[in-house]
Amino acid sequence: MKKIFVRCADTESIRLYRESGADGVILPLSGYAFSPCDCFRKEDLDACIQTIRDMGMEVYLQADKLFSQNEMPVAEALLREPGVLSADGIFFSDPGLFAAAEEQGIAGRMIYDPQTLMTNGKDMQWWLSCGLKAVVVSPLLSAEEITHLGIPADQYMILGHGYQIMSVSRRPLLSLYTEGKDTEILKNRNDIRIREESREGFMPVYEDENYTIVYMDAVLTSVPEVCALEQDGDVQVIINAAFLPADCVSDAVRTYRTAESENARECEQALIEAYPGIAFTKGYYENKTVK
Amino acid sequence: MKTKQLNKPELLAPAGDLARAKTAIRYGADAVYIGGRSFSLRSRASNFTYDDIREICAFAREYGAHVHVTVNIIPHDEDLDGLAEYLRFLQECGVHAVICASPYIMNCAKKYAPHLEVHCSTQLSVTNSSAVRFLKRHLDIDRVVLARECTMEDVRRITAEGGVPSEAFIHGGMCVNYSGRCTLSNRMTLRDANRGGCAQSCRWQYHLYQGKTELTKQDDLFTMGSRDLMCLDHLYDLMEAGVASFKIEGRMKTEFYIASVVSVYRRCIDEILLKGGPLDADRMRMYREEMRKSENRDIWTGFYDNPDAQDSIIYHPNTNVDVNHDFLGTVLSYDKTAETAVIQTRNPFAKGERAEILSPSGTYEPFVFEWMKNDKGEYMEISRHPMAEVTIPVPSAVKAGDMIRRSR
């Protein structure tokens, strides 16, 4: 069985995702998450979570920023917010936030999502032994490696679909470049891309007050891989909606929901062909990154 | 002027091979960090064999220095074979600490080599004291290497409140992104940055677009290459903050770079300790001038005093723009009677040129090449070939390992 979670980029599309078969949503919390989405504020969470629950969906929060020393009191206070406490889980990447969760007795709601760092079953087991709910597998693992992690499927999630983060900088990289140039302010925009001078792919770049994120130049897709993992038991897959049209995300949810091992490749190909303007990639699922 | 009882911090230098490790220690490093051929980032650095590790540990003991070994890959399951044996070997050699990023590796070090200190790598991007306390409580780490994104205030408070000795970078190359979380290299080249293969794709050139409109011009493309860190001006603040170890980056750097940089920091740290307070502007200017004699990229002072990262990116293709000295050679031997030295050459130089001797004692003695002879005893006007053995007169006693450099 698959559980499908959509990492949201807006509020309006959540119902569409539900209708397409999503089991839950992940809301990037404004100011607390590495995300180009700025619409989920903690002040509005109670109402937002209730609305989503009324749709019959699980609700997770994303607070995966790395917090400076001065930011920690605010981060710790976040974990005492009623709206936050009513969520089904909280994605984090800063061990400091997990330490705060331990102190508040909510370690079991925390999901460790450090982007690249969860690359082997033994580290995952260690983190799970700290009492958290689940870990998110590094996107650098091949499908083969994921099948050998030796972790119960309900304790890990995989990044299955969407633009994946390639790097996060604390520096305002776009602003530093445009400083002194006759260029519009590029901060907080979702239409900025970079292209390496000898390559074709366009990489979304997002800068806000705290950091700059560079995303992969193509949309990860892994329908056959997810279906193969489902053969071994439950699989929890995350679809990232950032930079994608809502209908594309919705179609992806529907595809992952309905695909079976026997027709997974055909289903994936149909999804790809439905969006000829979007570049897709298998990421590292088939093409293993080397030492 | 503010003064405070200062503890002597460890000066921790990088070394890509045995020669560089010995140079770092001779020139004043309290400890060196090296990588073995397994489990270490920087796989392109000429990493240490088992024999090399034994030798550098013995060498370090003679000088009262420590050896730290990087075991800092973010491992896949396939990378973990032989880990316990390797850790036991490091302990038997007398290695002081292992630098790790993987909790599993940290736990293995505690289990299989309990005399090794476990230092939490900067790959984990620790930016607050809560994270340090968590790592101490669950993994019993002995030291934390702070993220390069920390401000001076972060460093002060983490050091004071973390409950674990801290280590801070003071010099060298910087990742523009949070360490350990960057896959630019993986995507561009399939080389895994977290397993030693970083291709430094952040330093490449990129076209920048807003929608379909290109914002860059061909002669001014977008890039993310960071300036190098240079923290001479923050040494006192870091010492006052109680930071236990000052780390120089650069296991890929040359022997000359290691000698030059370590020498400057050694002298500056010792002078601050002696004075018990910050040095005056003239002394700091002198040290900054000395630092310019080694090959650095453009520099900045990091996030310590610049949380907005202004002027932290290099937008031009030239590196080493400020470097004002060339490395000419290393002393192989000294003839006291003849007052001559045999040097192994690196860059060309000519009779009559002025140069200076860089020695571990920290003196920079100037002299002129009054004559030079090749290895056949023939007089030469110019030495053109690298790695040749050339005899030169020197103004005072030198030792094997001293270096000759020339002002540009």
Side-chain angles (χ1 to χ4, degrees):
Chain A
M1 185 185 142
K2 302 182 201 96
K3 288 192 87 171
I4 300 170
F5 304 99
V6 178
R7 184 166 276 162
C8 294
D10 63 69
T11 52
E12 296 77 21
S13 308
I14 292 174
R15 187 170 297 281
L16 188 61
Y17 302 151
R18 178 58 180 156
E19 290 166 0
S20 304
D23 298 287
V25 288
I26 303 163
L27 312 181
L29 270 177
S30 186
Y32 297 86
F34 289 136
S35 169
C37 165
D38 190 32
C39 57
F40 297 104
R41 297 176 181 278
K42 70 176 182 188
E43 297 79 16
D44 310 326
L45 269 185
D46 284 344
C48 183
I49 289 175
Q50 191 54 53
T51 303
I52 296 167
R53 285 210 189 288
D54 289 346
M55 294 182 209
M57 300 176 89
E58 296 177 26
V59 187
Y60 294 82
L61 304 176
Q62 180 185 339
D64 61 342
K65 227 182 85 165
L66 292 166
F67 299 98
S68 70
Q69 185 69 28
N70 288 337
E71 290 172 324
M72 273 313 293
V74 177
E76 288 164 4
L78 176 75
L79 298 182
R80 293 190 287 271
E81 294 276 339
V84 172
L85 292 173
S86 69
D88 294 287
I90 300 163
F91 287 73
F92 75 99
S93 74
D94 191 325
L97 190 67
F98 184 67
E102 282 184 314
E103 287 165 15
Q104 294 179 38
I106 58 167
R109 294 183 185 208
M110 304 299 283
I111 299 164
Y112 188 45
D113 183 10
Q115 297 165 25
T116 54
L117 300 182
M118 283 288 91
T119 51
N120 65 80
K122 293 183 169 64
D123 280 336
M124 290 177 203
Q125 280 166 356
W126 182 83
W127 273 100
L128 290 165
S129 75
C130 294
L132 42 69
K133 183 184 181 88
V135 295
V136 180
V137 174
S138 165
L140 295 173
L141 263 59
S142 66
E144 172 79 9
E145 286 176 308
I146 293 173
T147 60
H148 292 106
L149 286 173
I151 304 290
D154 62 344
Q155 293 183 0
Y156 72 87
M157 298 178 172
I158 61 168
L159 302 164
H161 196 92
Y163 282 106
Q164 305 296 315
I165 288 179
M166 281 208 296
S167 64
V168 181
S169 177
R170 191 183 153 172
R171 309 183 205 201
L173 297 174
L174 298 173
S175 297
L176 291 174
Y177 174 75
T178 57
E179 193 174 321
K181 292 184 170 72
D182 185 21
T183 306
E184 202 176 322
I185 293 170
L186 304 183
K187 207 178 272 293
N188 299 117
R189 296 188 62 98
N190 276 268
D191 61 348
I192 308 298
R193 304 283 188 277
I194 57 172
R195 179 176 65 79
E196 198 276 323
E197 63 174 339
S198 64
R199 289 171 168 76
E200 299 297 320
F202 289 81
M203 297 167 258
V205 183
Y206 179 81
E207 176 190 308
D208 75 1
E209 304 305 323
N210 300 304
Y211 47 75
T212 307
I213 311 174
V214 178
Y215 287 81
M216 202 180 266
D217 57 304
V219 173
L220 177 68
T221 180
S222 61
V223 180
E225 290 78 13
V226 167
C227 289
L229 284 169
E230 192 183 9
Q231 301 275 295
D232 297 333
D234 294 345
V235 56
Q236 303 187 87
V237 58
I238 298 169
I239 294 176
N240 189 9
F243 303 107
L244 286 172
D247 60 340
C248 181
V249 177
S250 173
D251 281 351
V253 172
R254 192 175 298 109
T255 301
Y256 282 86
R257 173 55 65 209
T258 56
E260 306 283 348
S261 283
E262 300 74 39
N263 65 0
R265 291 204 178 273
E266 292 76 15
C267 290
E268 183 173 77
Q269 193 56 36
L271 178 65
I272 290 170
E273 287 172 3
Y275 296 92
I278 296 177
F280 289 88
T281 176
K282 301 301 290 182
Y284 305 99
Y285 283 125
E286 289 181 345
N287 208 1
K288 192 174 174 181
T289 186
V290 295
K291 284 189 253 187
Chain B
M1 182 187 297
K2 54 183 177 179
T3 58
K4 181 181 176 180
Q5 181 62 43
L6 300 173
N7 292 323
K8 183 183 177 185
E10 172 188 80
L11 179 58
L12 177 58
D17 59 26
L18 197 53
R20 282 175 275 181
K22 289 180 176 178
T23 295
I25 291 171
R26 279 198 198 102
Y27 278 80
D30 299 302
V32 290
Y33 63 100
I34 64 171
R37 292 191 167 167
S38 306
F39 309 110
S40 171
L41 294 182
R42 293 290 179 215
S43 60
R44 285 179 301 137
S46 43
N47 282 322
F48 284 66
T49 64
Y50 278 34
D51 285 345
D52 291 340
I53 294 173
R54 276 192 201 93
E55 186 171 341
I56 193 57
C57 286
F59 183 87
R61 269 193 297 276
E62 287 177 29
Y63 284 79
H66 285 159
V67 176
H68 302 185
V69 176
T70 55
V71 190
N72 57 350
I73 57 167
I74 310 293
H76 292 222
D77 282 307
E78 66 188 13
D79 300 320
L80 293 167
D81 288 348
L83 176 64
E85 294 76 13
Y86 182 62
L87 293 165
R88 285 193 195 104
F89 164 76
L90 296 179
Q91 178 175 267
E92 285 163 17
C93 288
V95 166
H96 181 70
V98 285
I99 305 167
C100 313
S102 153
Y104 175 73
I105 293 178
M106 293 185 205
N107 270 335
C108 283
K110 290 287 178 186
K111 180 176 177 182
Y112 298 112
H115 297 302
L116 293 175
E117 284 195 1
V118 171
H119 296 178
C120 175
S121 166
T122 195
Q123 296 296 103
L124 289 190
S125 297
V126 171
T127 53
N128 59 71
S129 58
S130 299
V132 179
R133 289 195 298 272
F134 169 81
L135 294 165
K136 176 65 180 173
R137 189 163 63 245
H138 287 277
L139 291 164
D140 194 24
I141 61 168
D142 299 291
R143 181 187 290 182
V144 61
V145 186
L146 300 178
R148 279 171 268 213
E149 285 77 10
C150 288
T151 64
M152 188 60 73
E153 178 62 16
D154 292 335
V155 172
R156 278 197 189 93
R157 292 193 50 199
I158 296 170
T159 302
E161 300 168 24
V164 171
S166 62
E167 179 176 306
F169 281 92
I170 57 168
H171 197 91
M174 290 185 83
C175 290
V176 72
N177 298 309
Y178 282 107
S179 293
R181 300 177 185 226
C182 176
T183 61
L184 287 173
S185 172
N186 303 63
R187 179 62 178 165
M188 304 279 181
T189 67
L190 267 185
R191 282 163 47 180
D192 191 346
N194 280 343
R195 291 191 289 174
C198 180
Q200 304 210 16
S201 304
C202 55
R203 299 191 184 276
W204 297 0
Q205 302 279 304
Y206 297 83
H207 295 268
L208 174 66
Y209 300 85
Q210 181 177 353
K212 293 184 175 174
T213 306
E214 178 163 6
L215 303 176
T216 38
K217 297 187 175 76
Q218 188 56 44
D219 62 352
D220 183 25
L221 295 179
F222 175 78
T223 185
M224 298 174 275
S226 176
R227 289 180 179 229
D228 281 5
L229 184 67
M230 203 281 276
C231 282
L232 278 169
D233 289 315
H234 291 302
L235 289 184
Y236 174 75
D237 292 334
L238 290 167
M239 289 162 79
E240 190 188 35
V243 173
S245 179
F246 291 1
K247 186 171 205 164
I248 297 167
E249 182 276 347
R251 279 194 285 144
M252 307 282 282
K253 297 286 194 180
T254 66
E255 209 173 331
F256 175 57
Y257 172 92
I258 300 294
S260 306
V261 172
V262 168
S263 170
V264 175
Y265 278 110
R266 174 77 282 149
R267 292 172 63 199
C268 191
I269 289 167
D270 289 349
E271 189 171 338
I272 291 171
L273 281 169
L274 191 65
K275 185 176 180 187
L279 305 185
D280 63 34
D282 284 347
R283 295 300 294 165
M284 292 311 299
R285 191 176 306 115
M286 186 279 290
Y287 284 119
R288 282 194 295 271
E289 282 302 308
E290 284 301 326
M291 195 61 84
R292 288 180 60 205
K293 296 177 181 176
S294 62
E295 67 272 59
N296 291 297
R297 297 186 185 98
D298 291 354
I299 54 169
W300 72 309
T301 52
F303 287 92
Y304 293 133
D305 64 350
N306 188 359
D308 297 331
Q310 292 299 306
D311 296 323
S312 66
I313 304 294
I314 302 172
Y315 291 116
H316 59 79
N318 302 323
T319 57
N320 295 334
V321 287
D322 279 341
V323 177
N324 55 18
H325 275 62
D326 292 318
F327 175 36
L328 302 184
T330 304
V331 173
L332 296 176
S333 62
Y334 173 64
D335 184 330
K336 188 177 176 183
T337 309
E339 294 183 334
T340 59
V342 177
I343 66 171
Q344 186 180 59
T345 61
R346 296 300 166 87
N347 284 301
F349 56 93
K351 180 180 162 187
E353 283 193 299
R354 294 185 66 81
E356 67 180 15
I357 299 161
L358 171 63
S359 76
S361 65
T363 56
Y364 308 132
E365 187 162 6
F367 71 101
V368 173
F369 292 112
E370 291 174 353
W371 53 263
M372 59 182 80
K373 287 181 183 176
N374 63 20
D375 58 357
K376 294 173 186 160
E378 300 163 339
Y379 284 99
M380 309 158 65
E381 292 295 310
I382 188 164
S383 168
R384 299 180 191 281
H385 304 295
M387 308 307 285
E389 291 188 10
V390 173
T391 302
I392 57 169
V394 286
S396 58
V398 292
K399 289 182 180 171
D402 288 0
M403 295 184 183
I404 311 294
R405 64 187 181 186
R406 171 189 58 201
S407 175
R408 281 183 187 170

